[in-house]
Amino acid sequence: MEWDEKVEKELSLYLKEITKSFNKENLKIFSANEIANKINLSRSTVSSYLNKEVKEGNIIKVDPISTMIMKYL
């Protein structure tokens, strides 16, 4: 699947920004659904992007709630 560079950049910038405020009380903001709502993309688009980034080792998935955390906290 090819990624729209603009969408990928927007997602990446947003993830970097929310990672700055990471703590165990705000894990919900790292969910695909929450990210999609904040940047006006579909949850499936965000989820696909996040899964791609997990496979590439750029982010990690925290289970059981499928929350994504940027690797460079």
Side-chain angles (χ1 to χ4, degrees):
M1 174 182 261
E2 291 195 29
W3 295 96
D4 180 309
E5 289 182 26
K6 182 180 176 184
V7 170
E8 189 166 353
K9 185 174 182 176
E10 183 178 5
L11 279 163
S12 180
L13 289 172
Y14 181 72
L15 287 171
K16 287 177 185 176
E17 185 61 36
I18 64 173
T19 299
K20 293 175 186 175
S21 66
F22 172 78
N23 66 58
K24 63 183 179 180
E25 281 78 41
N26 72 351
L27 289 178
K28 184 179 177 184
I29 68 170
F30 294 92
S31 70
N33 194 46
E34 198 66 25
I35 293 167
N37 288 334
K38 290 291 184 184
I39 59 176
N40 298 315
L41 291 171
S42 72
R43 189 213 50 84
S44 62
T45 297
V46 172
S47 183
S48 294
Y49 171 77
L50 294 173
N51 287 326
K52 173 185 158 290
E53 292 298 306
V54 167
K55 287 179 184 175
E56 292 177 1
N58 296 323
I59 60 177
I60 58 173
K61 186 182 281 192
V62 178
D63 286 319
I65 58 174
S66 297
T67 296
M68 303 296 179
I69 309 297
M70 297 303 288
K71 207 172 164 181
Y72 39 83
L73 284 174

